[in-house]
């Protein structure tokens, strides 16, 4: 039995995709909508959205910085603050930065609890680091 409405929210899939049959837009609901929202939030630059100029995370400007302890703490704070202000459906439990198997990439692991259902989830966002090096 399909639900008609979702109390966690329903939104467009990202990137927006259209069905050829019925000429409808694909939608996501519940936890999938929250994960899509987190992906969009972490990938958006502050000032990029026209009607919400403070929306976003600005992690892309840290791509060429050396990944030391101070930068990791700063990145975690950027992510926490963005989620606090722009994703009210979840309670943030933890943000971790883990080195991935692929060189030049770290995984941002967001552990959260859905506020209305008390369901715990993890969201992993790949962040590509291109440290500046002296080639000479």
């Amino acid at each position: 039995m399909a639900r008609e409405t979702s109390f966690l929210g329903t939104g467009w899939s990202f990137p927006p995709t259209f069905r050829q049959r019925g000429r409808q837009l694909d939608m996501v609901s519940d936890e999938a909508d929250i994960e899509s929202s987190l992906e969009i939030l972490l990938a958006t630059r502050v000032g990029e959205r026209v009607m919400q100029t403070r929306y976003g995370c600005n992690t892309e400007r840290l791509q060429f910085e050396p990944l030391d302890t101070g930068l990791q703490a700063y990145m975690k704070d950027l992510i926490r603050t963005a989620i606090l202000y722009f994703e009210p459906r979840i309670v943030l439990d933890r943000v971790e930065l883990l080195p991935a198997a692929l060189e030049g990439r770290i995984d941002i692991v967001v552990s959260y609890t859905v506020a209305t259902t008390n369901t715990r989830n993890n969201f992993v966002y790949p962040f590509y680091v291109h440290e500046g090096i002296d080639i000479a």
Side-chain angles (χ1 to χ4, degrees), residues 2-120:
R3 289 187 278 189
E4 291 182 15
T5 60
S6 170
F7 65 93
L8 287 178
T10 300
W12 289 14
S13 63
F14 187 77
T17 53
F18 296 89
R19 295 184 204 159
Q20 288 182 348
R21 261 183 144 193
R23 297 180 181 163
Q24 293 180 339
L25 185 68
D26 283 340
M27 304 294 275
V28 290
S29 297
D30 303 326
E31 285 85 6
D33 187 38
I34 292 173
E35 286 192 12
S36 179
S37 175
L38 287 172
E39 182 176 358
I40 293 167
L41 178 62
L42 294 179
T44 303
R45 295 182 192 124
V46 174
E48 189 173 359
R49 284 207 171 172
V50 176
M51 299 300 284
Q52 289 186 334
T53 56
R54 289 197 247 159
Y55 183 87
C57 198
N58 269 356
T59 54
E60 84 290 337
R61 65 186 170 102
L62 305 175
Q63 283 182 331
F64 297 103
E65 298 294 326
L67 193 61
D68 58 1
T69 307
L71 184 70
Q72 288 182 16
Y74 180 67
M75 277 184 73
K76 288 179 185 180
D77 185 57
L78 278 177
I79 294 164
R80 280 188 198 107
T81 303
I83 291 173
L84 173 70
Y85 285 115
F86 298 108
E87 190 46 73
R89 297 175 289 181
I90 66 172
V91 175
L92 185 62
D93 297 327
R94 181 178 40 196
V95 175
E96 294 177 282
L97 303 177
L98 303 175
L102 184 65
E103 186 179 341
R105 180 181 126 181
I106 57 173
D107 289 331
I108 299 171
V109 180
V110 178
S111 301
Y112 63 91
T113 303
V114 179
T116 55
T117 62
N118 203 26
T119 306
R120 291 186 177 185

